[in-house]
Amino acid sequence: MDPITRPVSINGLRIGGADFMVIAGPCSIESRETFAVTAQSVAAHGAGMLRGGIFKIRTNPSSFQGLGRAAFEIVRSVRAQTGLPVVSELTDPRQIPELFDIVDMFQIGTRNMHNTVLLREVGASRKPVLLKRGFSATVEEWLLAAEYVADSGNPNVVLCERGIRTFERITRNTLDLAAVAYIKQNSRFPVLVDPSHGTGVRNLIAPMCRASAAVGADGLLLEVHCAPHQALSDADQALSLRDFAQIMRELEPLLPLFGRRLARPLRPSALSHEPVPSSTI
Amino acid sequence: MDPITRPVSINGLRIGGADFMVIAGPCSIESRETFAVTAQSVAAHGAGMLRGGIFKIRTNPSSFQGLGRAAFEIVRSVRAQTGLPVVSELTDPRQIPELFDIVDMFQIGTRNMHNTVLLREVGASRKPVLLKRGFSATVEEWLLAAEYVADSGNPNVVLCERGIRTFERITRNTLDLAAVAYIKQNSRFPVLVDPSHGTGVRNLIAPMCRASAAVGADGLLLEVHCAPHQALSDADQALSLRDFAQIMRELEPLLPLFGRRLARPLRPSALSHEPVPSSTI
Amino acid sequence: MDPITRPVSINGLRIGGADFMVIAGPCSIESRETFAVTAQSVAAHGAGMLRGGIFKIRTNPSSFQGLGRAAFEIVRSVRAQTGLPVVSELTDPRQIPELFDIVDMFQIGTRNMHNTVLLREVGASRKPVLLKRGFSATVEEWLLAAEYVADSGNPNVVLCERGIRTFERITRNTLDLAAVAYIKQNSRFPVLVDPSHGTGVRNLIAPMCRASAAVGADGLLLEVHCAPHQALSDADQALSLRDFAQIMRELEPLLPLFGRRLARPLRPSALSHEPVPSSTI
Amino acid sequence: MDPITRPVSINGLRIGGADFMVIAGPCSIESRETFAVTAQSVAAHGAGMLRGGIFKIRTNPSSFQGLGRAAFEIVRSVRAQTGLPVVSELTDPRQIPELFDIVDMFQIGTRNMHNTVLLREVGASRKPVLLKRGFSATVEEWLLAAEYVADSGNPNVVLCERGIRTFERITRNTLDLAAVAYIKQNSRFPVLVDPSHGTGVRNLIAPMCRASAAVGADGLLLEVHCAPHQALSDADQALSLRDFAQIMRELEPLLPLFGRRLARPLRPSALSHEPVPSSTI
């Protein structure tokens, strides 16, 4: 942790202090069952927050675009079951009122980092924001996008490095960890790393999680699916529940060396009265 | 002109056929006077349409963001004076109703090419759309963005190549004319070139205009300002009225070699009842 | 042509003045017959010089590496037959003495643009040099590489833009014509364009030839093969003899508009006593 | 360490096994005193090998090009004093015989990764080779370059990631740690990371060293200078002796977590008879 970082609070959890926040879940919420099973497993293995796409923004108009409002009730119940806050992507400022009570943090995705209309309105809402780097945004442009949100009255911005577009082909993007090191030294905003999109290659995610912790990131954003090969989007990079558990086991002894511990909900029991059926983990 | 291109009509003018459309005007509309003077001059020298930013999207939250609604009346009067249709950028789907009667073509800017919410709603509006390439979008992604608009019911899409982000530093972007050649052979959408943003260097615009005509583009989008050094945005790349006139003189003998002629409004006089003061040209 | 360009002379031909130099031939010299047939045809249709690889530099160690010395006699006889000067790539300074009398111009390829040892020794040789841009060299680095040659005593450098490496996938490289416009305005070295490597797509070569002429290039470097589908290297981008003839027909009416005419050998007949068998054209 | 890596031996030291090799020293050898002082200090703080440029390859012909042969005697004496093997860059195959007895490992620099003539002759020499990634080479091209060396009879290739050229400006290059993770899983060649060139920013080197160890790299290549601000090349990125010592202190507790320990010369005392003056450390 770096003294200049100003931590951001989400329902009592903090991103940017001594805690290392792991946010995990599927690319898109596809059904109640797959989201619940995935969420309970990642919660049991150390995730501090859940992710899951409700409104998706896809390059191809015929790709799966998310469940939309049909996912609201699913999110509400899984969040109550696990006690974990949820982050999900906004693609339109008009979604702010309806998503406001459903999620704990808004995500602005890589394709909207330059959408200043969305930045300003999310800024006016005061809810914590996860601002992904545009896949070809310079660090300077990314920090200016964060200022759009902060200038509109919302200082609760958490950055997320997710890889940039380069000529290299073995990975979907080139994960720019030096940008994370730079931000820790030069910006007040906490910063996470998304090695799922950042590499697009399942086998490279674990080593890049370790490297992210070592470089000083404040946490991770990971795509996890209870049946990766059936995922409706990003199947090549989704981690299985077992992969995720293994990554968390590897991270655990590493974090104290960097002055960190895993971020966990303060009173998880208070929120997760319902017993998690063992068969789902 | 290529047989597979399906021309798009704008108030009786066509983009994509034998006509070569030159759209010119300031980056932002800054005042009635500067817009009127610029518009009358470019009209007199062969522009077929006007451009001018009303709502600007800027990387830096403290940069000039456009006049907004205060520009509506200016656009209405200059359009009537010159008889030229106007294209201006939309940054938010909620601007569609109010801009609908002000402009003749909506522009979707480079930072919004991946904004599928905007693409769909502009698609539902049926008004012709100028779709700029994202500065790091592949041609495939760009054509898929055009399909978002077309799929939503609006086939009137005109593409605009405006340079891509590369490692090169002498130019602001790298203008990708091979992409234009590819589109002429493989897509039904007409395509323009914007060498103003594509190079960001005033002296390089004229040769890139000639190259654009030679490669088969259906026209040009050019930033022209009656006092470039006082422009509130993009001052380094704005052409003066004299620069623009010179470029048009150079293009004129070239176009017939490629089977083209300048697109001009059918009945300009019908629209421009008001006499254009000669002093402003 | 631009007043600041200092033309380079090659056996009485000039690159960089009012002449527009088209250099054509196969990627690699593969056999006496294919090189002779190709050379005679391109000569008949307006090429002013021949190209043909003798020593090839390939990314994969198991790809075809050129005929090497076995090509020397072939080059000598085809050059005499056609009367056209020949350019071929050097990959090692130790090749300078043996290639010196075989070719009329040394080529330094894209992979060697940063090889300052080669630049200096080619500079010491005084023979004209065709210096291709490194596929990820900035224009500034490219001009500095030309200065390495000039500083070593050889001002006879001709630059050649051949595309840069970007994220775009429809083309093998992104041909940077704005760099050519910049060089015409800011450097004394003449500059050619290689749309064969610059696009890697046969159908895109013709429009990019026209655009190169329009942007002010001093000529073209084109891969032509008498049987493109059998070429041992770069088969996807080699033009057929017919393609080449068609491109030259399209260029002819264009050049006078830019103050240019095709560069042709001064006394071709003096060198080409042997009748060209009509069947080969 | 990964089971598929085949370690490379250099004078009894190994790169690619349980040892983590830190190679340190100045960009260029500038004088006996600065090289000796730097070498003794990095040796005392855990470096296993020395680096130092003898023949430099510079973009600008008027930049400092290295001491050349005048450095030979300096290298010989510092290597004897410290007992550490030395790696230095070859820029010309004709340097192989003279450098053969001066250095313990040849480096092929980023600008020569595609120089297949040099790759083959270094391959024929059988001396261990440090092969830096071309700054715009794909991982596939880089591995093919290593095959050029191995195919020529020399399997002793160690790769070195040193950053790739992208649009980002805060760093000189974008260090691609995912490429390192990929190589550990897919190639038999060991791989080091050079965060000095990889970032070009002194303050970012320490976090990128930690990240490199965490991602699984077999070691580091670091620019260290006893008076960084007086360095004749790369002054902005050279670490001071104190910076280097601090980085080594941070790495020490980290390495055991990844199954590594620092590589140290087997019998340093045997090689360093001469007492190291304490004042220089």
Side-chain angles (χ1 to χ4, degrees):
Chain A
M1 101 204 93
D2 202 277
I4 72 167
T5 304
R6 266 190 35 192
V8 169
S9 290
I10 299 136
N11 289 10
L13 286 169
R14 293 200 333 159
I15 302 183
D19 290 350
F20 186 83
M21 171 61 80
V22 178
I23 307 178
C27 177
S28 313
I29 295 172
E30 298 169 358
S31 73
R32 177 184 304 270
E33 199 199 345
T34 58
F35 190 51
V37 169
T38 302
Q40 286 158 350
S41 180
V42 300
H45 290 97
M49 283 182 65
L50 299 176
R51 56 154 293 157
I54 296 171
F55 299 106
K56 299 297 295 178
I57 193 163
R58 304 296 299 278
T59 303
N60 191 322
S62 49
S63 299
F64 174 62
Q65 312 270 329
L67 289 183
R69 281 173 201 140
F72 286 4
E73 178 46 33
I74 299 175
V75 171
R76 238 185 245 117
S77 93
V78 170
R79 183 195 190 197
Q81 274 174 359
T82 58
L84 300 192
V86 173
V87 60
S88 195
E89 184 173 353
L90 267 181
T91 58
D92 185 339
R94 292 165 297 187
Q95 294 159 351
I96 293 176
E98 55 183 353
L99 271 182
F100 199 88
D101 292 327
I102 304 298
V103 302
D104 303 281
M105 185 182 211
F106 290 143
Q107 178 177 315
I108 294 184
T110 191
R111 288 173 182 74
N112 275 315
M113 192 209 84
H114 286 291
N115 184 341
T116 53
V117 172
L118 188 59
L119 294 171
R120 282 201 194 285
E121 300 197 24
V122 162
S125 85
R126 314 298 293 268
K127 187 175 283 278
V129 181
L130 186 63
L131 177 62
K132 297 193 100 176
R133 181 180 184 179
F135 53 63
S136 59
T138 62
V139 169
E140 192 193 349
E141 290 168 338
W142 186 20
L143 293 175
L144 284 168
E147 295 298 343
Y148 261 98
V149 180
D151 269 19
S152 307
N154 187 348
N156 304 308
V157 182
V158 175
L159 302 168
C160 181
E161 159 65 25
R162 48 79 69 212
I164 57 173
R165 190 164 272 194
T166 70
F167 60 81
E168 180 53 61
R169 296 295 109 201
I170 55 163
T171 44
R172 189 168 156 184
N173 295 284
T174 297
L175 198 59
D176 183 7
L177 293 186
V180 176
Y182 177 89
I183 285 167
K184 292 309 295 175
Q185 293 174 12
N186 295 282
S187 165
R188 68 189 185 279
F189 301 114
V191 58
L192 307 184
V193 176
D194 172 355
S196 301
H197 288 90
T199 65
V201 180
R202 192 177 290 112
N203 288 344
L204 300 180
I205 297 173
M208 296 312 277
C209 285
R210 296 194 299 266
S212 299
V215 90
D218 296 301
L220 297 165
L221 184 70
L222 291 168
E223 282 191 10
V224 181
H225 195 282
C226 56
H229 300 294
Q230 296 165 28
L232 297 181
S233 48
D234 286 346
D236 285 351
Q237 72 200 31
L239 299 166
S240 68
L241 302 183
R242 184 189 298 261
D243 293 333
F244 178 76
Q246 172 64 20
I247 285 174
M248 296 303 279
R249 267 193 295 276
E250 287 175 13
L251 280 177
E252 217 168 350
L254 221 58
L255 296 177
L257 283 177
F258 308 115
R260 304 273 196 170
R261 61 174 181 267
L262 276 183
R264 302 304 300 264
L266 297 182
R267 296 159 303 142
S269 58
L271 283 159
S272 57
H273 289 300
E274 304 167 50
V276 178
S278 62
S279 66
T280 61
I281 298 181
Chain B
M1 103 204 92
D2 202 276
I4 72 166
T5 304
R6 267 190 36 192
V8 169
S9 290
I10 299 136
N11 289 11
L13 287 168
R14 290 197 339 155
I15 302 183
D19 290 351
F20 186 83
M21 171 62 80
V22 178
I23 307 178
C27 177
S28 314
I29 295 171
E30 298 169 358
S31 73
R32 176 184 305 270
E33 198 198 346
T34 59
F35 190 51
V37 169
T38 302
Q40 287 157 350
S41 180
V42 299
H45 290 96
M49 283 181 64
L50 299 176
R51 56 154 292 157
I54 296 172
F55 298 106
K56 299 297 294 177
I57 192 164
R58 304 296 299 279
T59 302
N60 191 322
S62 48
S63 299
F64 175 61
Q65 312 270 329
L67 288 183
R69 282 173 201 141
F72 286 4
E73 179 46 35
I74 299 175
V75 171
R76 236 185 246 118
S77 92
V78 171
R79 182 192 186 200
Q81 276 174 357
T82 58
L84 300 191
V86 173
V87 59
S88 194
E89 184 173 353
L90 266 181
T91 57
D92 184 339
R94 292 163 297 187
Q95 294 159 350
I96 293 176
E98 54 182 353
L99 270 182
F100 199 88
D101 292 328
I102 304 298
V103 302
D104 303 279
M105 185 181 211
F106 290 142
Q107 177 178 315
I108 294 184
T110 191
R111 288 173 183 74
N112 274 315
M113 192 209 85
H114 286 290
N115 183 342
T116 54
V117 171
L118 188 59
L119 294 171
R120 283 202 193 285
E121 300 197 23
V122 162
S125 85
R126 314 300 293 269
K127 187 174 283 278
V129 182
L130 185 64
L131 178 61
K132 298 194 100 175
R133 180 180 185 178
F135 54 62
S136 60
T138 63
V139 169
E140 192 193 350
E141 290 168 339
W142 187 19
L143 294 176
L144 283 168
E147 295 300 342
Y148 260 98
V149 179
D151 269 20
S152 308
N154 186 350
N156 304 308
V157 182
V158 175
L159 302 168
C160 181
E161 160 64 24
R162 48 80 69 213
I164 57 173
R165 190 165 272 193
T166 71
F167 61 81
E168 181 53 62
R169 296 293 108 202
I170 54 163
T171 44
R172 189 168 155 183
N173 295 283
T174 297
L175 198 60
D176 183 7
L177 293 185
V180 175
Y182 177 88
I183 285 167
K184 293 308 297 175
Q185 294 174 14
N186 296 281
S187 165
R188 69 189 185 280
F189 301 113
V191 58
L192 308 183
V193 176
D194 172 355
S196 300
H197 288 90
T199 65
V201 180
R202 193 177 290 112
N203 288 345
L204 300 180
I205 296 173
M208 295 312 278
C209 285
R210 296 194 300 266
S212 300
V215 90
D218 296 301
L220 295 166
L221 183 71
L222 290 168
E223 282 191 11
V224 182
H225 194 283
C226 56
H229 300 294
Q230 296 166 27
L232 297 181
S233 47
D234 286 346
D236 285 351
Q237 71 200 31
L239 298 166
S240 68
L241 302 183
R242 182 189 299 260
D243 293 333
F244 178 76
Q246 173 64 19
I247 284 174
M248 296 303 279
R249 268 193 295 277
E250 287 175 12
L251 280 177
E252 219 169 349
L254 220 59
L255 295 177
L257 283 176
F258 308 115
R260 305 271 194 172
R261 63 175 179 267
L262 275 184
R264 302 304 300 265
L266 298 182
R267 296 159 303 144
S269 58
L271 284 159
S272 56
H273 290 299
E274 303 168 51
V276 177
S278 61
S279 66
T280 62
I281 298 180
Chain C
M1 104 204 88
D2 202 276
I4 73 165
T5 305
R6 267 190 35 192
V8 169
S9 290
I10 298 137
N11 290 10
L13 287 169
R14 290 197 339 155
I15 301 183
D19 290 350
F20 186 83
M21 171 62 79
V22 178
I23 307 178
C27 177
S28 312
I29 295 173
E30 297 169 358
S31 73
R32 178 182 304 271
E33 200 198 346
T34 58
F35 190 50
V37 169
T38 302
Q40 286 157 351
S41 180
V42 299
H45 290 96
M49 283 182 66
L50 298 177
R51 57 154 293 157
I54 296 172
F55 298 106
K56 299 297 293 178
I57 194 163
R58 304 296 299 279
T59 302
N60 191 323
S62 47
S63 299
F64 174 61
Q65 312 271 326
L67 288 183
R69 283 174 199 137
F72 286 4
E73 179 46 35
I74 298 175
V75 171
R76 239 185 243 115
S77 91
V78 170
R79 181 194 188 200
Q81 276 173 0
T82 57
L84 299 192
V86 172
V87 60
S88 195
E89 184 173 352
L90 267 180
T91 57
D92 185 338
R94 291 163 299 186
Q95 294 159 351
I96 294 176
E98 54 182 352
L99 270 182
F100 199 88
D101 292 328
I102 304 299
V103 302
D104 303 281
M105 185 181 212
F106 290 142
Q107 178 178 315
I108 294 184
T110 191
R111 287 173 183 75
N112 275 313
M113 192 210 85
H114 285 291
N115 183 342
T116 54
V117 171
L118 189 59
L119 295 171
R120 283 202 192 284
E121 300 197 23
V122 162
S125 85
R126 313 299 294 268
K127 187 174 282 281
V129 182
L130 186 64
L131 178 62
K132 298 192 99 177
R133 180 179 186 179
F135 53 63
S136 59
T138 62
V139 169
E140 191 194 350
E141 291 169 337
W142 186 21
L143 293 175
L144 284 168
E147 295 300 342
Y148 260 98
V149 179
D151 269 20
S152 308
N154 187 349
N156 305 307
V157 182
V158 175
L159 302 168
C160 182
E161 160 64 25
R162 48 78 70 212
I164 57 173
R165 191 164 271 191
T166 70
F167 61 81
E168 180 51 63
R169 298 293 109 203
I170 54 162
T171 44
R172 188 168 156 183
N173 295 283
T174 297
L175 199 59
D176 183 8
L177 293 186
V180 175
Y182 177 89
I183 286 168
K184 293 310 296 174
Q185 293 174 13
N186 296 282
S187 165
R188 68 190 187 278
F189 301 113
V191 59
L192 307 183
V193 176
D194 172 356
S196 300
H197 287 91
T199 65
V201 180
R202 191 176 291 112
N203 289 344
L204 300 180
I205 297 173
M208 295 312 277
C209 285
R210 295 194 300 267
S212 299
V215 90
D218 297 300
L220 297 165
L221 183 70
L222 291 168
E223 282 192 8
V224 181
H225 195 283
C226 56
H229 298 295
Q230 296 165 29
L232 297 182
S233 47
D234 285 347
D236 285 352
Q237 71 199 34
L239 298 167
S240 67
L241 303 182
R242 183 188 299 261
D243 293 334
F244 179 77
Q246 173 64 20
I247 284 174
M248 295 303 280
R249 267 193 296 276
E250 287 175 11
L251 280 177
E252 219 168 349
L254 220 58
L255 295 177
L257 282 177
F258 308 115
R260 305 271 194 171
R261 61 175 180 268
L262 274 185
R264 301 304 299 263
L266 298 182
R267 296 158 305 142
S269 57
L271 283 159
S272 58
H273 288 300
E274 302 169 51
V276 178
S278 62
S279 66
T280 61
I281 298 178
Chain D
M1 102 203 93
D2 202 276
I4 73 165
T5 304
R6 266 190 36 192
V8 169
S9 290
I10 298 137
N11 289 10
L13 287 169
R14 292 196 340 156
I15 302 182
D19 289 351
F20 186 83
M21 171 62 81
V22 178
I23 307 178
C27 177
S28 313
I29 294 173
E30 298 169 358
S31 73
R32 178 183 303 271
E33 200 199 345
T34 58
F35 190 51
V37 169
T38 302
Q40 286 158 351
S41 180
V42 298
H45 290 97
M49 283 182 65
L50 298 176
R51 58 154 293 158
I54 296 172
F55 298 106
K56 299 298 294 177
I57 194 164
R58 303 297 299 279
T59 301
N60 192 322
S62 48
S63 298
F64 173 60
Q65 311 270 328
L67 289 183
R69 282 175 199 138
F72 286 5
E73 179 46 34
I74 299 175
V75 171
R76 237 186 245 118
S77 92
V78 170
R79 182 194 188 199
Q81 275 173 358
T82 57
L84 299 192
V86 173
V87 59
S88 194
E89 183 173 354
L90 266 180
T91 57
D92 185 338
R94 292 164 298 188
Q95 294 159 350
I96 294 177
E98 54 182 353
L99 270 183
F100 199 87
D101 291 329
I102 304 299
V103 302
D104 303 280
M105 186 181 210
F106 290 143
Q107 178 177 315
I108 294 184
T110 191
R111 288 173 182 74
N112 275 313
M113 193 210 84
H114 285 292
N115 183 342
T116 55
V117 171
L118 189 59
L119 295 171
R120 282 201 193 286
E121 300 197 23
V122 162
S125 84
R126 316 298 294 269
K127 189 175 281 280
V129 182
L130 186 64
L131 177 63
K132 297 192 102 176
R133 181 180 186 178
F135 55 62
S136 60
T138 62
V139 169
E140 191 193 349
E141 291 169 337
W142 186 21
L143 293 176
L144 284 167
E147 295 299 342
Y148 260 98
V149 179
D151 269 20
S152 307
N154 187 349
N156 304 308
V157 182
V158 175
L159 302 168
C160 182
E161 160 64 26
R162 48 79 69 212
I164 57 173
R165 191 164 273 193
T166 71
F167 60 82
E168 181 52 63
R169 297 294 108 203
I170 54 162
T171 45
R172 188 168 156 185
N173 295 283
T174 297
L175 198 60
D176 183 7
L177 293 186
V180 175
Y182 177 88
I183 285 168
K184 292 309 295 174
Q185 294 174 13
N186 295 282
S187 165
R188 67 188 186 280
F189 301 113
V191 58
L192 307 183
V193 176
D194 172 355
S196 300
H197 288 90
T199 65
V201 180
R202 190 176 292 113
N203 287 345
L204 301 179
I205 296 174
M208 296 312 277
C209 285
R210 295 194 300 266
S212 299
V215 90
D218 296 301
L220 297 166
L221 184 70
L222 291 169
E223 282 191 9
V224 181
H225 194 284
C226 56
H229 300 296
Q230 296 166 28
L232 298 181
S233 47
D234 285 347
D236 285 351
Q237 71 200 32
L239 298 167
S240 68
L241 302 182
R242 184 189 298 261
D243 293 333
F244 178 76
Q246 172 65 19
I247 285 175
M248 296 304 279
R249 267 193 295 277
E250 287 175 11
L251 280 177
E252 217 167 351
L254 220 58
L255 295 177
L257 282 177
F258 308 115
R260 305 271 195 170
R261 62 176 180 266
L262 275 185
R264 302 304 298 266
L266 297 182
R267 296 159 305 143
S269 57
L271 283 161
S272 57
H273 289 300
E274 304 169 50
V276 177
S278 62
S279 66
T280 61
I281 300 179

